């Protein structure tokens, strides 16, 4: 039931993940963070069994930090992606991780943000947009129609609204809360997207508009 999707804009990348931890028909918690901040300018979103996601994410985070301490520099987004993919590939014949990944990052040397799509079979591709889980699949057609190069922050916000609305329409048990994380030249920024609060805000705005019309 994971809902993870992301896309790149004008010198920033967006990763959106739901906050529900579900086991069969049981909701264990509704404040799960499925996106791991690897460093100041990299995000790793994970979909799959929670044990594999936690173990794999912590392993990658620790080794990237170890590389930084040993060499005095951070890996680029492309280099970090290569390391993550190689780790997945090496584990395929021993103890495979059942995790699907989106890795987003910003590189100051290129002044660009990038997004990489990886699955548990260690396939990897640099993409403009992508998603995992049932919810992520429903967003792919919206990306085909509405994503465009050099998207502004306002356009990105509208696209996030469209994707979450589509997930809410399609999934019977769609999550109501999402973490929206943006990585750009200033680092990583996180906001909580609450569908219930959004709906209440829309109702309040309609009410205020109606009052102004009466006046």
């Amino acid at each position: 039931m994971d809902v993870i999707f992301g896309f790149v804009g004008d010198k920033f990348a967006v990763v959106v993940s739901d906050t529900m931890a579900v086991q069969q028909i049981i909701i264990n918690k509704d404040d799960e963070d499925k996106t791991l901040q690897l460093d100041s300018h990299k995000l790793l979103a994970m979909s799959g069994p929670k044990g594999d996601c936690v173990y794999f994410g912590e392993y990658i985070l620790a080794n990237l930090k170890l590389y930084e301490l040993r060499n005095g520099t951070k890996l680029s987004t492309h280099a970090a992606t290569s390391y993550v993919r190689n780790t997945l590939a090496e584990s395929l014949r021993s103890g495979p991780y059942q995790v699907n990944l989106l890795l987003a990052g910003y590189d100051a040397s290129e002044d660009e943000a990038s997004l990489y799509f990886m699955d548990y079979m260690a396939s990897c591709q640099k993409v403009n947009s992508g998603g995992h889980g049932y919810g992520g699949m429903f967003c792919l057609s919206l990306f085909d129609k509405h994503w465009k190069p050099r998207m502004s922050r306002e356009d990105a916000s509208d696209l996030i609204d469209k994707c979450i609305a589509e997930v809410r329409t399609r999934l019977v048990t769609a999550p109501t809360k999402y973490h929206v994380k943006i990585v750009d030249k200033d680092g990583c920024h996180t906001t909580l997207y609450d569908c219930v609060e959004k709906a209440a805000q829309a109702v309040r705005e309609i009410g205020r508009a109606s009052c102004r019309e009466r006046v």
Side-chain angles (χ1 to χ4, degrees):
M1 291 300 297
D2 292 327
V3 181
I4 292 176
F5 62 88
F7 56 90
V8 294
D10 185 14
K11 299 183 181 181
F12 68 91
V14 180
V15 176
V16 181
S17 61
D18 72 289
T19 64
M20 289 177 59
V22 180
Q23 184 176 5
Q24 297 180 353
I25 62 172
I26 306 299
I27 298 176
N28 294 326
K29 57 188 302 188
D30 65 351
D31 58 353
E32 180 79 7
D33 192 351
K34 300 179 181 179
T35 306
L36 184 65
Q37 185 172 335
L38 298 178
D39 61 30
S40 60
H41 290 80
K42 293 184 190 66
L43 297 170
L44 182 66
M46 297 170 286
S47 170
K50 294 300 169 276
D52 280 8
C53 289
V54 171
Y55 184 82
F56 183 78
E58 291 179 350
Y59 179 82
I60 294 298
L61 177 63
N63 279 275
L64 290 184
K65 184 62 178 179
L66 178 62
Y67 178 91
E68 180 183 351
L69 293 173
R70 283 178 171 175
N71 299 279
T73 184
K74 298 177 182 178
L75 289 174
S76 66
T77 304
H78 179 74
T81 302
S82 297
Y83 173 73
V84 173
R85 181 195 175 278
N86 187 62
T87 302
L88 284 171
E90 288 179 345
S91 68
L92 280 179
R93 291 177 176 82
S94 54
Y97 299 101
Q98 300 295 317
V99 291
N100 300 303
L101 311 166
L102 288 177
L103 196 155
Y106 174 87
D107 294 298
S109 59
E110 301 177 1
D111 193 24
E112 282 294 341
S114 54
L115 178 70
Y116 290 86
F117 176 100
M118 287 174 276
D119 66 11
Y120 72 99
M121 295 296 290
S123 65
C124 178
Q125 182 64 44
K126 185 178 181 180
V127 296
N128 295 319
S129 60
H132 288 297
Y134 290 117
M137 295 177 185
F138 292 132
C139 298
L140 298 181
S141 59
L142 291 173
F143 292 143
D144 288 340
K145 183 176 182 179
H146 298 288
W147 184 88
K148 57 186 179 182
R150 299 295 178 186
M151 292 185 72
S152 66
R153 298 295 179 101
E154 292 76 14
D155 291 337
S157 180
D158 290 340
L159 184 52
I160 291 171
D161 288 338
K162 288 183 173 68
C163 289
I164 292 179
E166 185 71 13
V167 172
R168 296 276 293 164
T169 301
R170 297 279 188 161
L171 287 181
V172 176
T173 57
T176 59
K177 295 180 181 179
Y178 301 82
H179 285 126
V180 179
K181 299 194 177 185
I182 298 176
V183 56
D184 57 18
K185 64 179 181 179
D186 298 319
C188 300
H189 319 280
T190 304
T191 57
L192 180 65
Y193 189 108
D194 191 330
C195 296
V196 176
E197 177 60 29
K198 283 274 186 179
Q201 181 180 354
V203 171
R204 289 194 295 268
E205 291 177 355
I206 292 173
R208 285 194 292 267
S210 178
C211 292
R212 285 195 295 268
E213 290 177 359
R214 292 195 189 100
V215 174

